[in-house]
Amino acid sequence: MSLSGVEAFSARLRRLRHTAGLTQEELAHSAGLSTNAVSQLERGLRRHPYPHTLGALADALDLDGAERAAFVARPASLDRSPGSGAPSTSPEVLPGGDTPLIGRDDEVTSLVSRLTGGSAGRLLTLTGPGGVGKSRLARDLAACARGAFADGVVFVPLASLTDPSLVVPTIVRAVGLREEAQTPPGELLSEYLRDKSLLLVLDNCEHLLAAAPRIAELLSVCPTLRILATSRSRLGVRGERACPVEPLAVPEAGAPHHLARISNAPAVRLFMARVQDADPEFALTPDNAEEIAEISRRLSGLPLALEVAAARVSFLGSTQLLTRLDGVLGLCGARDLPERQRTLRATLDWSHDLLSRAEQVLFHRLAVFAGGFDLEAAEAVSAGGELTSDVVLASLENLWEQALVRTAAAPGPAGMRYGMLEPVRQYALERLADSGEEDQVRARHADWCLTLAQRVEPELSGSDQSRWLDVLDAEHGNLRAALAETLRRTDDDAGLRLAVALRRFWYVRGHLQEGRRWLQEALTACSSAAPPLRGAALSALGHLAVKQGDFTAAQSSYTQALELATAPPSTRATAAATGGLAVVALWTGAHERATRLSRQSIALCRETGDPSGLATALNVAGLVEIQRGRHRDAAVLLEEGLAVSRAAGDEGLTAAHLNKLGWCHLEGEHLDQAARSFGDALTRFARLGEQWLAADCLDGLARVMLARGRPTRAARLWGAADAQCTVIGATTLPLDPSVYERLTSRARAEIGEDAFAAAWAQGAALSPDRVLGEALEEIAIEGAAENTPAAHGADRSPGARSRLPRDPGDALPAPRGGQIGQ
């Protein structure tokens, strides 16, 4: 009498354990199971072990090849009687998730609809990098779709196979069939499934792609069969519908800190669920929310990384964990996961080993890109040796197919961009370090960044500067990495040249503190650099310090720059440093000195014939005259500067002059003209991403609104202006603090302290785009109704005047900021 299925499996497990020379306790420990679990399996008391349990046992028993395939597939027929043909019971074997699926509700709904819909897409492949949760999602999809398949669902784990020819025999056993000597497994399977309404889940196909044609053939002869596959790359057969599985969404970086927003992010929800599995008392609080949000961002929302990291919170706490995330690759996850998924490194090793030699080399080299890359950058930095440009292109495509490289959500300014999830990049960096060519590749990357920055620098004072600023924004992570790399060098001044090339980008895009830090570090590291280069860096430091209200530092930087401009003599550098000192004098109340220095700067710029320098000098001189109350003189200077800026095509300097002219119009009580000038300048600044100068326009528009009897709108604009300065770390002080305080006090008195505070807070909460839209709408409405007495009814306070207050003690209206233009 033959053994039953249960007895045969029990006997086989005992035999294999004895052959391996293991006790039940030793086998249980090696497989990450309890001794009782192994005992129950050997006695036939546990009839439906999970596939990952069988995989763990197979690993512990060191099984491979056909023997391993037979072992892990055996439980599909544990309770079936022997015989050929159809199984005696339902073939359904679907491992369930022991925890709820988090953050995938929309995906599940959409994919279940596709699985159970019309004839299109009978082969659905979930693709994505290791650790993103493809297998888990597949199990939940199959469970949700089960009712749509009269003949059930069969889950077929393929990770343990090494030979593509074993895929079909493994499926045969999984559905409960017995192989027959006279019938090939493919024919047996096709005949059995031909009229079945069944969902076949093929898990982990990426290393068995040679079997994909057999899968396609099976679908062609079984019209009601559906297949759900998981793979790090597409199977590559006709009729396949690839569905990329993305990491879980993380809280937006730089967004206002709201506990509810952070706690609702799917990545944080998964992280917290796993933390609370180990420590039910751990909670998300205002004190740790930003740390946990940053952990989820640093791990790129990758579910396996989140689960592995969460298991350490009880031991390390969120603060320590955040500082030690680089070590998360090798930490172990849940013991009931397959061995290759217990650590991130094991998961990524699995993917890495599937790559060709050329693909592995490219994968390692691309890791130096800290902020993504386009094809041109990949070729420039990675090509060399065995990697020609053609090989880079072909290998990059396969890395993308394998989900080790991802396309960006939207093309960058220079075209399609690519990148890696941060845990994947960290792994590739380790491999690069092991390869012995890290220093060489990092040097090529730094040189590429320097070449890019120097190529873009002259474009940042042209008509297309917004697009070029976007190019640098897209490469910001790479530029930071290149600065760190070049400043480690002691034999050249590349770091200082890179910092100087980026100075205008830092000015305009509001990276004030960061720009100061890099420039100071570069000056220290490149102490022997030529005087013109050091002088340019010092002038840049002065400009950034002015924006932050650090006038002592600005004075020191400009003074040193002026000294360097004389050795060798440079009229252009002297003009720039002199203009900077004029601004510092203005901010510190030395108006006569500011006038003298600004006029010297203009004369020097006329001598050099530098249109950008001249426009900047005229802008500074006009600002000085506004502050001195000489608005007609200011207007003459600013109109000339506006003409020069427009002729040079400099969008930023054109906006700066329009802004200052708005203040001149405001003083003359030409409110329509003032509003239009401020609005035009604000639009240009918004296009450039310049927030400090935009805030100056908002201050001017707020004063226009107050003069028109709209104190609530004024408070809202002041709040927006203050927030835009604060977010980039710029000074929020106006040049005319007494007038500014008097005007804001008037608005408070007219609408009440509570209403003023509410309007201010509403303005502060607006995004720059929303602020721009509201401001331009307000200008259009007010401009159309300027001569209509009732136009401002609801917001006009009793007795409000249509002009700014001019008490005898008032200083004249002046801009908030002492800008020196762009």
Side-chain angles (χ1 to χ4, degrees):
M1 178 177 172
S2 64
L3 294 171
S4 72
V6 171
E7 292 170 330
F9 177 77
S10 302
R12 171 175 283 188
L13 179 58
R14 282 195 302 274
R15 176 178 58 79
L16 290 171
R17 177 171 61 77
H18 290 151
T19 300
L22 299 173
T23 66
Q24 285 188 346
E25 291 79 5
E26 289 169 338
L27 176 59
H29 177 76
S30 181
L33 303 173
S34 68
T35 303
N36 185 54
V38 173
S39 175
Q40 287 184 331
L41 286 170
E42 289 195 355
R43 289 182 292 152
L45 299 178
R46 185 175 175 187
R47 300 173 65 85
H48 298 290
Y50 289 130
H52 56 252
T53 298
L54 297 170
L57 288 168
D59 290 339
L61 292 166
D62 200 24
L63 303 182
D64 58 18
E67 187 174 38
R68 181 186 181 98
F71 181 83
V72 298
R74 183 65 182 172
S77 57
L78 282 179
D79 52 0
R80 299 185 183 102
S81 300
S84 62
S88 60
T89 62
S90 168
E92 183 169 312
V93 180
L94 182 62
D98 52 0
T99 56
L101 185 68
I102 293 174
R104 303 288 191 192
D105 294 351
D106 292 343
E107 289 166 277
V108 168
T109 301
S110 172
L111 291 171
V112 166
S113 176
R114 295 178 69 174
L115 274 175
T116 59
S119 60
R122 291 175 51 223
L123 168 58
L124 227 60
T125 305
L126 303 182
T127 63
V132 81
K134 302 181 295 295
S135 297
R136 177 57 201 278
L137 178 58
R139 291 199 299 269
D140 279 68
L141 287 174
C144 292
R146 188 192 324 242
F149 298 94
D151 296 295
V153 177
V154 176
F155 189 91
V156 188
L158 300 174
S160 61
L161 299 186
T162 58
D163 184 349
S165 68
L166 294 176
V167 170
V168 171
T170 300
I171 298 173
V172 166
R173 289 189 291 272
V175 299
L177 295 174
R178 270 188 151 183
E179 295 186 49
E180 299 176 356
Q182 67 275 22
T183 307
E187 288 185 24
L188 186 67
L189 187 60
S190 297
E191 184 61 33
Y192 173 67
L193 294 178
R194 192 178 304 277
D195 59 352
K196 293 287 191 297
S197 171
L198 182 138
L199 175 64
L200 200 59
V201 183
L202 305 180
D203 191 34
N204 293 112
C205 300
E206 57 269 3
H207 59 306
L208 303 165
L209 297 182
R214 308 286 81 77
I215 305 302
E217 289 173 11
L218 189 62
L219 284 169
S220 69
V221 298
C222 302
T224 54
L225 174 68
R226 302 249 170 158
I227 295 177
L228 174 64
T230 72
S231 176
R232 299 183 190 187
S233 63
R234 299 181 55 179
L235 304 189
V237 297
R238 288 181 296 175
E240 179 185 21
R241 298 292 184 270
C243 305
V245 179
E246 297 294 330
L248 296 176
V250 302
E252 181 182 355
H257 180 125
H258 293 306
L259 191 61
R261 181 178 297 137
I262 291 174
S263 65
N264 286 330
V268 172
R269 286 169 51 206
L270 176 63
F271 182 83
M272 289 301 301
R274 297 299 165 265
V275 171
Q276 290 168 349
D277 286 344
D279 181 3
E281 301 302 316
F282 188 90
L284 191 72
T285 68
D287 292 334
N288 64 22
E290 187 50 45
E291 290 177 341
I292 290 172
E294 182 60 20
I295 288 170
S296 73
R297 288 191 288 265
R298 291 267 301 277
L299 296 177
S300 302
L302 198 63
L304 179 58
L306 292 166
E307 296 197 5
V308 168
R312 268 69 198 169
V313 171
S314 295
F315 173 62
L316 292 173
S318 57
T319 303
Q320 284 279 8
L321 177 63
L322 180 57
T323 64
R324 297 171 181 267
L325 275 186
D326 287 347
V328 79
L329 283 175
L331 297 177
C332 289
R335 292 190 178 92
D336 61 347
L337 287 172
E339 183 64 32
R340 64 185 178 79
Q341 291 181 348
R342 291 188 197 173
T343 71
L344 279 177
R345 183 170 284 104
T347 297
L348 293 168
D349 282 342
W350 170 271
S351 293
H352 184 270
D353 291 346
L354 296 177
L355 302 175
S356 70
R357 168 62 183 166
E359 290 159 0
Q360 289 177 348
V361 171
L362 179 61
F363 178 52
H364 306 161
R365 293 177 181 179
L366 291 176
V368 298
F369 287 101
F373 53 90
D374 58 25
L375 180 57
E376 178 186 346
E379 291 172 336
V381 173
S382 300
E386 61 197 282
L387 295 186
T388 64
S389 293
D390 288 344
V391 173
V392 169
L393 177 59
S395 298
L396 178 60
E397 183 175 11
N398 198 50
L399 291 177
W400 173 74
E401 285 279 358
Q402 294 289 332
L404 291 170
V405 165
R406 311 171 74 233
T407 53
M416 183 63 73
R417 287 186 68 78
Y418 308 90
M420 299 179 188
L421 297 174
E422 188 57 22
V424 176
R425 192 177 79 86
Q426 291 297 326
Y427 172 85
L429 278 174
E430 290 184 9
R431 289 284 193 163
L432 178 64
D434 293 341
S435 74
E437 60 175 13
E438 181 178 11
D439 289 345
Q440 177 186 354
V441 177
R442 285 194 181 279
R444 285 208 303 266
H445 175 260
D447 290 344
W448 175 80
C449 287
L450 177 58
T451 300
L452 172 69
Q454 291 180 326
R455 186 181 73 192
V456 169
E457 184 184 12
E459 305 292 344
L460 300 184
S461 56
S463 59
D464 203 18
Q465 60 191 236
S466 178
R467 183 173 75 85
W468 290 106
L469 285 165
D470 288 344
V471 168
L472 294 182
D473 246 340
E475 303 296 351
H476 200 182
N478 287 314
L479 295 168
R480 287 167 170 152
L483 281 163
E485 173 64 23
T486 53
L487 293 181
R488 290 196 302 111
R489 303 177 188 174
T490 58
D491 57 344
D492 65 27
D493 59 4
L496 189 57
R497 286 185 285 130
L498 179 55
V500 168
L502 293 174
R503 65 193 187 279
R504 192 177 178 95
F505 167 66
W506 288 326
Y507 303 160
V508 177
R509 288 292 162 97
H511 303 291
L512 309 183
Q513 190 59 40
E514 180 181 356
R516 289 181 71 182
R517 178 174 63 81
W518 284 122
L519 283 162
Q520 191 59 66
E521 288 183 12
L523 282 164
T524 301
C526 307
S527 57
S528 60
L533 181 59
R534 291 183 63 80
L538 286 162
S539 281
L541 265 178
H543 193 141
L544 290 166
V546 165
K547 280 196 167 188
Q548 291 199 299
D550 189 351
F551 306 115
T552 300
Q555 175 76 28
S556 174
S557 294
Y558 283 129
T559 300
Q560 292 178 67
L562 187 59
E563 292 170 355
L564 289 171
T566 62
S570 170
T571 305
R572 182 172 296 189
T574 300
T578 302
L581 288 169
V583 174
V584 175
L586 176 63
W587 270 100
T588 54
H591 292 166
E592 293 300 326
R593 173 176 165 79
T595 299
R596 176 172 54 80
L597 290 170
S598 65
R599 298 293 173 152
Q600 287 178 11
S601 181
I602 290 174
L604 290 167
C605 288
R606 292 193 194 281
E607 183 181 333
T608 64
D610 172 22
S612 180
L614 177 59
T616 298
L618 289 165
N619 184 257
V620 172
L623 177 59
V624 172
E625 295 307 310
I626 289 174
Q627 187 64 12
R628 298 182 70 194
R630 300 177 179 179
H631 290 79
R632 290 185 180 178
D633 292 341
V636 172
L637 292 164
L638 293 169
E639 289 289 358
E640 181 186 355
L642 180 61
V644 173
S645 299
R646 282 177 166 159
D650 193 316
E651 180 85 346
L653 278 172
T654 297
H657 283 89
L658 287 167
N659 175 34
K660 304 303 185 298
L661 285 168
W663 290 96
C664 290
H665 296 316
L666 184 60
E667 159 56 22
E669 301 180 26
H670 304 299
L671 300 185
D672 273 355
Q673 287 178 276
R676 284 195 295 272
S677 289
F678 288 134
D680 192 354
L682 181 62
T683 300
R684 295 169 189 264
F685 286 139
R687 210 158 38 227
L688 295 173
E690 164 59 89
Q691 290 182 256
W692 194 54
L693 299 173
D696 198 48
C697 297
L698 293 173
D699 183 11
L701 284 171
R703 301 186 193 204
V704 171
M705 292 299 108
L706 184 64
R708 285 173 165 168
R710 304 288 302 277
T712 300
R713 301 301 300 174
R716 191 175 172 94
L717 290 169
W718 274 320
D722 189 82
Q724 291 204 16
C725 292
T726 300
V727 77
I728 61 171
T731 179
T732 60
L733 293 174
L735 267 171
D736 59 346
S738 61
V739 174
Y740 180 76
E741 178 60 33
R742 187 169 285 111
L743 294 178
T744 55
S745 296
R746 173 186 162 186
R748 281 190 180 89
E750 290 186 6
I751 62 176
E753 183 64 41
D754 290 346
F756 182 90
W760 182 289
Q762 290 166 4
L766 295 177
S767 68
D769 286 346
R770 181 73 181 275
V771 172
L772 174 65
E774 289 197 8
L776 295 182
E777 182 180 356
E778 196 72 43
I779 291 167
I781 292 172
E782 290 291 348
E786 175 64 20
N787 297 317
T788 304
H792 320 302
D795 197 21
R796 186 181 292 278
S797 305
R801 294 176 291 171
S802 62
R803 58 188 298 274
L804 291 168
R806 295 298 304 279
D807 295 337
D810 281 352
L812 294 169
R816 292 164 59 90
Q819 298 89 311
I820 61 173
Q822 298 288 302

